[in-house]
Amino acid sequence: MSLWDAVVGQEDVVAVLAEAVRNRGAMTHAWLITGPPGSGRSVAARVFAAALQAPDDVDGTSHDAQTALAGTHADVTVVRTEKSIINIDETRSLVSLAQRAPSQGRWRVIIVEDADRMTERTSNVLLKAIEEPPPRTVWLLCAPSPLDVATTIRSRCRSLNLQVPPARAVADLLVRRDGVDPDLALECALAAQSHIGMAKRLATHPDVRAYRARVLAIPGSIRGVGDAVLLAGDLVETATEQSKAATTERDAEEKVALLRGMGAVEGAALPPTLRAQLRQLEDDQKRRARRALIDVLDRAMIDLLSFYRDVLVVQLGSDVELVNTAAAGSIRAMAASSTPEQSVRRMHAIGETRTRLDGNVAPLLAMEAMTVALRPQG
Amino acid sequence: MPPARRRPAAGLSALDLDQVILAPLVLVRGGEGLLVDRAVSHLQALASERDPNVEVTRLEAAAYESGQLDMVASPSLFGENRHIVVSGVESATDAFIEDGLAYVARLSPELDDVTVVLRHEKGVRGKKLLDAIAAAGLPVVACEPIKRDADKVAFAAAEFRKAGRRVSGPAVQALVEAVGSDLRELGAACTQLIADTTSAITPDVVQRYYGGRVEATGFKVADTAIEGRGGQAVTLLRHALSTGVDPVLLVAALASKLRVLAKVAAMRGRGASAPTDLGLAPWQIDRARRELDGWSPEGLARAITAVATADAEVKGAGRDAEFAVERAVLRVAQARGER
């Protein structure tokens, strides 16, 4: 199995990257890898980094390739964030890092996984470093679309656009790599709309599948405004629980580790000089929790969008495949009881809610406005 | 012959200062600054009435050093009375609590030549000392914050009565609406009205002095909007904005009111009576039931949509946050009664 097989359904991009590894003349100092969520941007970046560190290792089994893939190679730096934006201070350290020669590999690779999460001020810090890095440094920036990064950054990079991989290719990957049952793999690949990571989560976690089913049941169960508000409350509550489950334990561990690191006595009052650091940690944790909540809600809204997309497909009688094959029954019922105009209007409302959440609107209020817009109306 | 011993009951209210009499040690406790100030100065007045030459000492418990209390309470050369006011007991040093406990323990119940007043404004710091004072049967004057409007009205009415002035009910009501958010301010307003006017105090008088002022909170704005009184809601809103209420909070207040209405409407629609499921208090539900009159589901939907739009605009999607809230308030008021 070749190293490049992990990049699914992207033959063109793989050809360009493989050529860059082989041929020094085809190499560039900065790449901007774009593509819709789940198309494998960061996987592509990591595989490219592995290939650069171990060009002769076709299978990717060598130590260099494996560590590069895992993001632990000494010359491969992976920048990602669990907060909503990448901090300017985190970015400044990259500038000096970029000037250092690789310590063991052939290249110093800096992968910025969420380049779209840099504000303009933050990305300005990187302008010089990206424009003219030392000869053996290469930047790999990942973002959903070229428009998501500042123009000045975009113009300094070579752009590579990933396609949405076909659902069958994703299903094949799940069957081959994770040993998922082929029927389930296809259903999940379709439901995740070829988002590879999401498809894997759906296929391997029954509770994630159950949550998705619950989200898809929402459109059918809204009968009036009151229901809508109650359902929105439920939705936000479950999302909060999910994001808490993911973070609470870690928060506590981090706090204990920090206190121990600072030499604070357990159970005793924290000396005032150390409180600022604890507060810093708690602020970071709060930001992370918020991002986790927004991510869960956003996922739910994408699922809802796919539901109404299917409804519209049925209403317009077009012969494309449904995304939600498991919910075909309720999709047909919804299609029969509403008009295409309503479906489009509802999809628009969901899209607007996503924008609003991005703009920091109170999640509960935003979801209420959305479920209210989804209610049956004349 | 020592004066007849009167042991006042513990737990006096600062609202009735006639009950508050001098004792070897009085604890004035509570967060309402005005009442605490009044009780403390009332006690000081009593002390100087008893002995015009009384020596008044003020101590700050937060900066107290061991032994200070005994030093100021020890007999004086000329034998005059001593009145000691200790403020900031809520942030007292450990030394003060220790000395205070010892002092309370050896205190004789008879009124002596030393009187001590302790001010404790918030929290439970020094609980041991507070408990010891209560256990010793020493008077504790409670100065709890006055929060409900009805209590504020009673307070203002009592102010006027004490000054021997007649005042009409609507006038007191109007005064509390105008300057009621802070009791100190309300007290000052009463004093000013008593000093500046001569005849009975009517709503007209209050209007003349405080007519331009309205204290508006986010919830007051939201309540008025939900009752469908758009014009009044906008007036309140402008007052709220100009006294520094954040637009984000105003929108949040509107949203939470509408949320309760919608939840209660859903409950009514189902005919179920399980208010515990909704996470609402019974009074919230009663109130929402009354407010739901005149609201149709369509109207609620429109109001919620308008508020969500306003929240986005307030947080950067619109150009003018204040305009966004104002429009939301108007839309909510209009949505009531729509079919």
Side-chain angles (χ1 to χ4, degrees):
Chain A
M1 183 178 159
S2 152
L3 181 60
W4 294 101
D5 281 353
V7 187
V8 183
Q10 314 288 352
E11 287 72 20
D12 298 349
V13 170
V14 167
V16 172
L17 291 176
E19 178 63 17
V21 173
R22 268 194 304 276
N23 179 0
R24 192 65 208 256
M27 187 62 187
T28 316
H29 62 279
W31 301 77
L32 176 60
I33 303 175
T34 57
S39 54
R41 295 181 303 246
S42 53
V43 173
R46 280 167 191 243
V47 168
F48 184 39
L52 283 173
Q53 300 299 357
D56 304 322
D57 174 19
V58 187
D59 299 332
T61 47
S62 69
H63 183 258
D64 275 344
Q66 284 299 318
T67 48
L69 282 177
T72 50
H73 193 282
D75 294 329
V76 177
T77 308
V78 180
V79 181
R80 55 194 306 184
T81 185
E82 289 175 321
K83 294 176 250 167
S84 292
I85 55 165
I86 296 183
N87 203 309
I88 194 160
D89 296 331
E90 296 165 56
T91 320
R92 288 214 174 96
S93 64
L94 295 181
V95 175
S96 59
L97 180 73
Q99 296 302 319
R100 287 189 223 147
S103 60
Q104 38 176 284
R106 304 193 327 145
W107 294 90
R108 174 166 294 283
V109 186
I110 302 177
I111 303 175
V112 183
E113 282 195 0
D114 308 298
D116 54 315
R117 291 189 187 271
M118 288 193 291
T119 61
E120 193 169 343
R121 198 164 84 93
T122 310
S123 43
N124 283 345
V125 172
L126 292 182
L127 286 182
K128 202 66 202 163
I130 291 184
E131 184 168 28
E132 272 184 290
R136 323 223 23 210
T137 296
V138 56
W139 289 88
L140 305 179
L141 308 182
C142 306
S145 101
L147 292 175
D148 288 331
V149 295
T151 331
T152 41
I153 294 278
R154 205 186 313 152
S155 65
R156 283 162 168 78
C157 298
R158 180 167 167 193
S159 184
L160 274 183
N161 192 23
L162 300 179
Q163 314 286 320
V164 177
R168 299 202 187 277
V170 176
D172 284 348
L173 178 77
L174 290 181
V175 173
R176 202 172 59 216
R177 192 182 62 186
D178 305 307
V180 179
D181 170 64
D183 288 339
L184 181 66
L186 186 59
E187 185 196 315
C188 294
L190 280 170
Q193 297 175 64
S194 301
H195 186 307
I196 299 167
M198 198 60 218
K200 184 183 165 192
R201 253 168 73 82
L202 276 174
T204 50
H205 292 76
D207 48 329
V208 176
R209 273 207 302 280
Y211 177 67
R212 189 169 191 278
R214 265 179 66 188
V215 169
L216 291 185
I218 286 179
S221 50
I222 302 178
R223 280 163 316 208
V225 178
D227 286 342
V229 170
L230 289 175
L231 274 170
D234 283 353
L235 197 60
V236 174
E237 204 173 299
T238 348
T240 316
E241 270 164 28
Q242 277 199 3
S243 59
K244 271 221 186 94
T247 55
T248 318
E249 211 168 295
R250 226 174 110 199
D251 286 355
E253 272 169 23
E254 283 175 354
K255 189 172 161 188
V256 169
L258 177 77
L259 289 178
R260 194 177 301 139
M262 294 193 301
V265 188
E266 225 167 286
L270 193 61
T273 40
L274 300 183
R275 274 181 211 149
Q277 311 206 20
L278 187 63
R279 196 156 46 232
Q280 172 79 42
L281 176 74
E282 283 168 353
D283 283 353
D284 278 356
Q285 289 176 342
K286 244 179 246 163
R287 288 195 199 109
R288 189 170 66 196
R290 180 169 169 91
R291 154 125 191 239
L293 171 65
I294 301 289
D295 282 355
V296 173
L297 286 178
D298 200 57
R299 194 64 232 168
M301 282 188 284
I302 291 177
D303 291 340
L304 282 175
L305 267 181
S306 73
F307 179 91
Y308 284 106
R309 175 254 184 211
D310 286 350
V311 170
L312 196 61
V313 163
V314 174
Q315 282 168 335
L316 299 178
S318 72
D319 59 348
V320 275
E321 212 164 356
L322 289 188
V323 170
N324 301 294
T325 40
S330 53
I331 287 171
R332 275 177 225 292
M334 177 66 71
S337 68
S338 63
T339 64
E341 289 84 1
Q342 277 176 331
S343 301
V344 172
R345 228 177 6 237
R346 286 168 180 167
M347 289 169 84
H348 176 73
I350 298 173
E352 200 177 11
T353 309
R354 294 183 66 199
T355 326
R356 280 179 183 167
L357 277 186
D358 208 29
N360 209 14
V361 168
L364 185 53
L365 178 59
M367 300 312 277
E368 279 168 0
M370 181 187 84
T371 46
V372 161
L374 297 184
R375 79 194 191 283
Q377 48 190 338
Chain B
M1 196 187 147
R5 190 180 142 203
R6 264 174 67 196
R7 188 178 226 187
L12 305 166
S13 165
L15 283 171
D16 188 3
L17 285 179
D18 292 342
Q19 285 181 358
V20 179
I21 59 158
L22 221 47
L25 188 142
V26 181
L27 170 65
V28 181
R29 191 176 183 193
E32 192 63 76
L34 177 72
L35 298 182
V36 174
D37 284 354
R38 283 190 176 179
V40 169
S41 53
H42 171 73
L43 285 165
Q44 195 174 326
L46 288 181
S48 46
E49 205 174 287
R50 193 162 149 250
D51 175 6
N53 290 325
V54 67
E55 182 188 330
V56 178
T57 318
R58 291 177 190 283
L59 288 181
E60 188 56 55
Y64 181 86
E65 279 170 24
S66 197
Q68 268 184 310
L69 186 61
D70 285 339
M71 204 161 69
V72 293
S74 57
S76 95
L77 187 58
F78 302 107
E80 73 267 24
N81 283 352
R82 287 170 307 287
H83 183 73
I84 302 163
V85 181
V86 186
S87 48
V89 180
E90 70 274 9
S91 48
T93 58
D94 290 341
F96 178 78
I97 294 171
E98 215 170 278
D99 282 8
L101 279 170
Y103 189 80
V104 171
R106 65 181 138 82
L107 205 57
S108 78
E110 309 303 333
L111 195 55
D112 203 353
D113 58 345
V114 181
T115 46
V116 180
V117 176
L118 303 186
R119 285 181 71 139
H120 188 286
E121 299 202 10
K122 57 177 181 285
V124 290
R125 167 108 181 112
K127 187 165 187 311
K128 223 168 151 189
L129 177 59
L130 303 182
D131 289 347
I133 292 171
L138 292 162
V140 178
V141 183
C143 309
E144 290 312 315
I146 296 185
K147 288 193 180 125
R148 289 176 47 225
D149 269 6
D151 293 341
K152 287 178 183 166
V153 168
F155 169 80
E159 290 290 288
F160 290 115
R161 200 169 47 240
K162 250 183 275 170
R165 296 293 295 276
R166 280 193 303 122
V167 60
S168 69
V172 180
Q173 194 72 41
L175 191 62
V176 169
E177 264 168 33
V179 290
S181 71
D182 182 27
L183 198 72
R184 229 177 247 284
E185 211 173 336
L186 183 62
C190 292
T191 319
Q192 185 171 27
L193 283 178
I194 291 164
D196 286 6
T197 60
T198 46
S199 54
I201 293 160
T202 61
D204 284 347
V205 177
V206 175
Q207 176 72 18
R208 191 172 340 125
Y209 278 78
Y210 298 102
R213 290 204 45 180
V214 180
E215 306 236 321
T217 60
F219 281 100
K220 237 178 207 176
V221 176
D223 286 343
T224 322
I226 278 163
E227 282 161 22
R229 294 184 283 153
Q232 212 168 344
V234 169
T235 318
L236 278 175
L237 171 70
R238 297 231 175 121
H239 275 294
L241 288 173
S242 61
T243 48
V245 181
D246 194 285
V248 174
L249 296 183
L250 288 162
V251 174
L254 275 174
S256 76
K257 289 287 310 187
L258 287 170
R259 186 169 303 135
V260 174
L261 284 194
K263 280 182 177 178
V264 173
M267 192 180 75
R268 194 161 66 172
R270 284 176 202 168
S273 56
T276 43
D277 291 355
L278 301 173
L280 300 173
W283 65 267
Q284 277 179 307
I285 294 177
D286 284 346
R287 185 163 177 184
R289 278 212 185 103
R290 260 179 282 129
E291 285 170 340
L292 264 175
D293 276 344
W295 278 97
S296 67
E298 282 308 299
L300 269 180
R302 223 161 295 172
I304 291 173
T305 314
V307 173
T309 313
D311 200 32
E313 285 171 349
V314 163
K315 287 174 178 164
R319 283 192 187 168
D320 185 348
E322 299 191 359
F323 172 73
V325 193
E326 198 168 309
R327 189 168 56 180
V329 164
L330 282 175
R331 282 183 179 164
V332 169
Q334 252 165 31
R336 183 181 187 262
E338 270 179 26
R339 288 288 127 195

